Amino acid sequence: GQNIDQPTEMTATEGAIVQINCTYQTSGFNGLFWYQQHAGEAPTFLSYNVLDGLEEKGRFSSFLSRSKGYSYLLLKELQMKDSASYLCAVRDMNKAAGNKLTFGGGTRVLVKP
Amino acid sequence: DVKVTQSSRYLVKRTGEKVFLECVQDMDHENMFWYRQDPGLGLRLIYFSYDVKMKEKGDIPEGYSVSREKKERFSLILESASTNQTSMYLCASSIRTVSDQPQHFGDGTRLSIL
């Protein structure tokens, strides 16, 4: 099975940087996804990591260390519209499970002026 | 753009009713998923399907069933609704191959069981 932990809530100031950590203990690992979810809306895909290291996409970056079972999502130059929940999800190693994901509880980020 | 459409945004039903939640995707995806989302618990997988007429139990299948008669449509059925099934239900789809392609989600159905 999978166990995924991330903080429940974080607060940051507009223009600042926030780092959302995600730790996982899994029976198998085949990639980690980050999603953004605004209140009342669908989760939308942000980033994907399967190898160790940093993936950068504009203001958002995601890091993975497979040996430590650890990832983080870095949000730079925070904007008010970044206030949302951020979901960490790990893909199962079992090929028969296809693209089955297990999600953490989500981190709600509040950006203040 | 991938479009995943759920039939209702809000639904109110009574205890004991049989409830159908419908999901349609327009990208010819093989995989489809049903999740429920509850505060503090995140998204939990109820059932998924990797092909027409195929289904697999997720982490919390009790009290639910599914139907996949056509590739584009995946239905979630609450056989006899109970108040603990009040939740946000999210449908998702993806290609079959394990890759960097993510699951794409619908807008969700907020279901209340009275």
Side-chain angles (χ1 to χ4, degrees), chain A residues 21-81:
Chain A
N21 296 325
C22 172
T23 57
Y24 60 90
Q25 298 92 42
T26 62
S27 54
F29 176 85
N30 200 354
L32 186 145
F33 293 81
W34 284 96
Y35 283 82
Q36 180 190 60
Q37 186 180 24
H38 285 100
E41 296 182 12
T44 55
F45 168 69
L46 286 179
S47 69
Y48 169 74
N49 296 74
V50 67
L51 300 176
D52 291 351
L54 190 68
E55 294 283 339
E56 296 189 81
K57 266 189 186 182
R59 293 189 299 114
F60 293 1
S61 304
S62 58
F63 171 83
L64 176 67
S65 168
R66 287 172 297 170
S67 62
K68 294 181 179 175
Y70 168 68
S71 172
Y72 67 73
L73 181 69
L74 196 69
L75 285 61
K76 294 179 271 191
E77 300 167 22
L78 279 172
Q79 301 175 9
M80 298 300 290
K81 68 178 182 180

